Amino acid sequence: MLNGIGVGLALSTLNSAAAKALPSERFGVGTAIDNSFRRLGALHGVSLFVAVLGTPTSATILGDYHRVWWVLAVIPVISARTYLATHREPEAAG
């Protein structure tokens, strides 16, 4: 439930930020690319979930789901650290 609330609150903000950064003549193409990458990310997330989960048995299902959620929690952390390490804002002159 918390995951759903977090995603619901974050997606509209992220989509708005992406659209705001676009020049008006590129708005349609930019939002289409944003939506395409969001859907591609969801596809990869579900695929990764299934691949890591495997075929759980009734005895291992809880541990298997915990492992999947830990993997899916670590990926955004790695992604954010990679982004912060590679994208620096230019210093203001002055």
Side-chain angles (χ1 to χ4, degrees):
M1 190 164 95
L2 290 175
N3 188 20
I5 291 170
V7 169
L9 291 172
L11 278 183
S12 61
T13 304
L14 292 172
N15 288 340
S16 296
K20 184 180 179 198
L22 296 169
S24 60
E25 65 273 3
R26 298 283 187 185
F27 182 79
V29 173
T31 56
I33 291 171
D34 177 52
N35 284 323
S36 296
F37 275 99
R38 185 171 42 88
R39 291 173 193 253
L40 184 63
L43 172 73
H44 282 124
V46 170
S47 300
L48 182 63
F49 183 96
V50 171
V52 172
L53 180 63
T55 308
T57 64
S58 60
T60 65
I61 193 164
L62 185 59
D64 292 341
Y65 273 105
H66 286 165
R67 185 182 69 244
V68 168
W69 287 113
W70 275 112
V71 168
L72 293 178
V74 168
I75 290 172
V77 171
I78 293 170
S79 177
R81 286 187 176 186
T82 303
Y83 175 82
L84 291 173
T86 59
H87 290 81
R88 300 284 180 204
E89 293 293 324
E91 294 183 23

